Amino acid sequence: MSNRKPVVVVTRKLPDPIETRMMELFDARLNHDDRPMSRAALIEAVRDADVLVPTVTDRIDAGVLSQAGPSLRLIANFGTGVDHIDLATARARAITVTNTPGVLTEDTADMTMALILAVPRRLVEGERLVRSGNWGGWSPTLMLGHRIWGKRLGIVGMGRIGQAVARRAKAFGMAIHYHNRKRVHPDIEAELEATYWESLDQMLARMDVITIHCPHTPATFHLLSARRLELLPKHAYLVNCARGEIVDENALTRMLIRGDLAGAGLDVFEHEPAVNPKLLALDNVVLLPHLGSATEEGRIDMGETVLINIKTFSDGHPPPDRVLASMF
Ligand SMILES: O=CC(=O)O
């Protein structure tokens, strides 16, 4: 990049301190009213910008990338998941892609643990009862949930977030099991007293709670297919704070309706922000609007990570959080 400040198009409203810094450092084009950018606006942005800062709500597919002007050299994603960006096309066009790993690990793990507790203990259902004015007082048989202590937690995807969930769940007395493309370091396995399952199918059949923490890639689309969901014991709960597309949402909904699964805690949906209306009617599900990393601290950290990646790149160095197509 030349001496002029790089033109940075930011697709959504970011926290004020991040936008201020963005304007100091770069020729930043901000989205003040925070309305998601249309496809036409995105195409215009990639034609003129040096850097694009998208979020999970922007589809940066081959069609958009094919319109990229020669100046677009960096896509600095505000977020960890990059399944909304066509990495192969970006690589073919020599566009570097960065993300914000690490900084949202603890927040996402907290939200996951909140759902692991909330669904079996019927927390939201209970809150609804109190608010309805129909609570008749304590009773030995009122709204009984299920104990978490001593139960088996199956973690699908044992990266940073999976491990952070395991640490929390262990402190709550759960036995940690996991499935991952490869086994984690023996020291981590020992610390978490975690059992590795090479076969996802075999693990699913034996767990009390399943939680998903792998990225969404072509290989993990519907990883929890109808067939795999059927392997879960009837008393099991499913939690998803990763990506909706990893679970066959229609199959999951059918199983919850039939009572073939005890409940689900979902922070993400297959066709976000649309939610299967049949899920809305169920009491044994807790539904959240993709809040996994939604803390003020986390959003500032994510913004700072984006700034560091752009600054490092525009200074002519490899940015720290490069996403390689081969990682997915
Ligand atoms: O979902 C949020 C993210 O991937 O950062």
Side-chain angles (χ1 to χ4, degrees):
M1 280 176 202
S2 64
N3 281 338
R4 71 175 173 81
K5 283 184 176 180
V7 173
V8 177
V9 174
V10 183
T11 67
R12 301 296 298 266
K13 168 103 189 74
L14 300 183
D16 290 339
I18 300 302
E19 292 199 332
T20 304
R21 196 74 189 118
M22 198 69 93
M23 286 189 296
E24 284 163 9
L25 289 170
F26 315 119
D27 180 357
R29 314 281 160 88
L30 304 175
N31 180 352
H32 295 292
D33 59 8
D34 196 29
R35 232 172 293 145
M37 273 168 91
S38 66
R39 193 172 170 84
L42 269 180
I43 287 175
E44 202 178 308
V46 297
R47 275 203 194 118
D48 302 331
D50 298 309
V51 179
L52 180 71
V53 179
T55 73
V56 63
T57 54
D58 304 302
R59 241 20 25 256
I60 316 294
D61 56 20
V64 169
L65 288 173
S66 69
Q67 306 287 317
S71 63
L72 186 77
R73 297 268 57 93
L74 175 66
I75 297 176
N77 188 55
F78 184 88
T80 299
V82 286
D83 51 329
H84 53 293
I85 303 170
D86 184 331
L87 296 177
T89 304
R91 184 173 54 174
R93 300 186 67 98
I95 298 167
T96 300
V97 178
T98 61
N99 66 345
T100 62
V103 293
L104 40 71
T105 303
E106 304 303 331
D107 292 328
T108 308
D110 282 344
M111 194 57 110
T112 305
M113 199 63 221
L115 286 174
I116 292 173
L117 294 168
V119 184
R121 295 305 304 273
R122 304 176 68 174
L123 191 115
V124 178
E125 225 184 314
E127 211 261 356
R128 277 196 294 266
L129 177 65
V130 174
R131 280 182 195 267
S132 75
N134 294 325
W135 179 37
W138 188 85
S139 141
T141 54
L142 176 69
M143 232 179 230
L144 304 184
H146 285 280
R147 180 182 292 158
I148 277 302
W149 190 89
K151 296 290 165 64
R152 283 192 284 262
L153 175 67
I155 300 177
V156 180
M158 195 63 147
R160 290 185 185 88
I161 299 174
Q163 290 173 30
V165 170
R167 275 187 200 100
R168 285 158 176 75
K170 185 169 178 264
F172 278 85
M174 299 188 87
I176 308 302
H177 298 255
Y178 76 99
H179 169 79
N180 200 43
R181 275 187 304 186
K182 33 183 219 290
R183 252 179 117 137
V184 299
H185 194 278
D187 291 351
I188 296 173
E189 247 183 40
E191 176 209 333
L192 299 169
E193 296 175 62
T195 305
Y196 174 64
W197 292 81
E198 199 176 329
S199 159
L200 174 60
D201 288 10
Q202 285 180 18
M203 180 176 87
L204 293 175
R206 287 165 181 78
M207 295 299 119
D208 302 305
V209 182
I210 286 288
T211 183
I212 299 169
H213 299 292
C214 57
H216 167 222
T217 69
T220 64
F221 174 78
H222 281 193
L223 183 68
L224 275 93
S225 57
R227 180 191 70 76
R228 285 215 172 95
L229 288 168
E230 304 275 352
L231 297 173
L232 289 167
K234 257 183 175 354
H235 69 263
Y237 297 92
L238 179 83
V239 169
N240 189 3
C241 283
R243 283 291 182 270
E245 292 92 332
I246 301 168
V247 179
D248 181 338
E249 192 172 292
N250 283 333
L252 172 69
T253 307
R254 281 197 302 273
M255 286 188 64
L256 288 163
I257 291 170
R258 287 200 307 255
D260 287 341
L261 206 57
L266 306 174
D267 184 42
V268 288
F269 302 89
E270 197 171 339
H271 304 288
E272 242 170 84
V275 178
N276 187 327
K278 291 187 182 140
L279 278 177
L280 300 177
L282 295 174
D283 273 334
N284 55 342
V285 297
V286 174
L287 309 170
L288 296 176
H290 202 146
L291 295 180
S293 62
T295 65
E296 290 193 14
E297 296 88 340
R299 293 288 187 251
I300 296 280
D301 291 348
M302 288 163 77
E304 278 172 357
T305 307
V306 168
L307 289 167
I308 289 167
N309 277 293
I310 302 175
K311 185 77 178 86
T312 312
F313 185 81
S314 59
D315 286 347
H317 308 291
D321 301 305
R322 261 168 311 156
V323 176
L324 307 174
S326 59
M327 281 158 54
F328 285 84

